[in-house]
Amino acid sequence: FASPFHDGLSVSITQGLYHAACLGHLVQKTHISLLKAKDSNRQLHGLVIHAEPNAESFDEIDRKTPKNDPKSNSETFRQIPNLKQQMKQIGLMDFLTMNVDRHGENLLAKKNPAGFPTSLLAIDHGNSLAIDHASNHHLESLSEYTRNGYTPFPEISYHIGDHQDYEWKPVLKNIADKADLLRKVVTDHTDHVKDPDYRRRLNETFERRLSAIQKLHRILVDGHLANLGNSVEDMSISAIEQAHIVTGK
């Protein structure tokens, strides 16, 4: 479902949102430029991707890991505190940008000269803004989105009311606090979209997901989960989250 136009729009909006959220260091640098066509002297708009030196995908790291040396594989890397936090930040941005293509080949680990991972880099966002997928109500809560395989790394999986809530609070707060800047990125880009129906659907879908993040942050900060009493453990995650986020009650 990704046409060249869609690729350019989705990559541009995604990169803009990362920078607006002060997470620009976690996203692959790209820009749109006029490029010479291979078969003629025509010039066409195309995406220019900036390759990151000294970086490997998680899948590549695992392929190089000796079977008898589990300490060097990506699972161990993902337990490093700052990388674990970055995974949550990328996971939340994937949810916000409706990305349905996060996997071990498009999540990189940047390494220092000694080969130790120091930071993550999210790449390949041509399948962001997947509004046809995002309109599925089962994927409009963060927990359902992460539990349905769109973020395959367990460190990103979100379960409302669990022991990781404290780790998610600053990640959610960062997006909630910058909501106006994030909206401006989307509207500035979609103002150039000629199809009014696509423009409307994209803006509405983005707004629902941004609103979900804001409301979830308020729930965690205000301690609204306590109002659910002892039944929290017996309720489904989606039921709790849908009750507070989708309906707004």
Side-chain angles (χ1 to χ4, degrees):
F1 51 80
S3 66
F5 165 77
H6 179 276
D7 282 0
L9 182 67
S10 61
V11 170
S12 296
I13 289 180
T14 297
Q15 184 171 253
L17 289 171
Y18 268 83
H19 284 280
C22 297
L23 299 174
H25 58 292
L26 297 181
V27 68
Q28 183 179 52
K29 294 180 177 63
T30 64
H31 70 271
I32 297 175
S33 180
L34 280 173
L35 305 175
K36 184 179 178 181
K38 291 182 179 180
D39 57 349
S40 70
N41 290 323
R42 292 182 306 154
Q43 286 191 316
L44 303 173
H45 283 96
L47 281 174
V48 178
I49 298 172
H50 299 245
E52 182 69 28
N54 302 318
E56 286 186 305
S57 72
F58 275 30
D59 282 358
E60 183 65 19
I61 291 170
D62 285 336
R63 283 194 292 268
K64 291 182 177 179
T65 301
K67 292 183 179 179
N68 60 352
D69 186 18
K71 292 184 178 180
S72 65
N73 66 17
S74 66
E75 184 177 351
T76 301
F77 288 170
R78 298 199 301 266
Q79 298 309 311
I80 299 171
N82 69 306
L83 300 190
K84 190 175 181 180
Q85 181 81 343
Q86 289 177 3
M87 292 195 77
K88 287 181 168 56
Q89 292 169 327
I90 291 171
L92 191 60
M93 292 301 293
D94 281 343
F95 171 74
L96 181 63
T97 60
M98 307 155 246
N99 185 21
V100 295
D101 192 34
R102 178 68 60 215
H103 50 76
E105 285 291 350
N106 60 28
L107 186 63
L108 307 186
K110 295 191 284 188
K111 298 181 177 182
N112 62 19
F116 189 80
T118 57
S119 181
L120 300 182
L121 189 70
I123 69 170
D124 191 1
H125 295 100
N127 285 331
S128 294
L129 310 186
I131 57 177
D132 290 334
H133 288 258
S135 61
N136 183 331
H137 73 277
H138 293 301
L139 303 181
E140 287 200 346
S141 74
L142 181 59
S143 62
E144 289 292 341
Y145 178 84
T146 59
R147 292 166 67 216
N148 276 277
Y150 289 105
T151 51
F153 307 103
E155 292 79 11
I156 295 178
S157 181
Y158 178 75
H159 302 275
I160 191 168
D162 72 6
H163 66 284
Q164 291 190 28
D165 275 349
Y166 75 94
E167 296 179 354
W168 277 95
K169 280 184 182 179
V171 179
L172 292 163
K173 174 177 169 51
N174 178 55
I175 300 301
D177 287 350
K178 297 177 176 64
D180 289 342
L181 286 174
L182 296 168
R183 287 190 184 97
K184 188 175 186 305
V185 169
V186 175
T187 55
D188 284 352
H189 282 79
T190 55
D191 281 347
H192 301 285
V193 175
K194 295 180 179 180
D195 183 340
D197 181 62
Y198 180 78
R199 183 171 61 245
R200 175 190 58 78
R201 291 173 60 213
L202 196 159
N203 279 288
E204 288 178 352
T205 305
F206 173 80
E207 184 59 38
R208 284 198 302 272
R209 296 169 97 76
L210 181 59
S211 178
I213 292 172
Q214 291 177 294
K215 291 178 181 178
L216 180 55
H217 174 248
R218 288 199 296 270
I219 289 169
L220 297 184
V221 170
D222 297 341
H224 289 172
L225 285 175
N227 298 330
L228 296 175
N230 296 327
S231 62
V232 170
E233 296 300 325
D234 299 327
M235 296 177 67
S236 71
I237 293 168
S238 60
I240 297 172
E241 196 169 346
Q242 293 292 329
H244 288 275
I245 293 175
V246 175
T247 67
K249 295 180 179 179

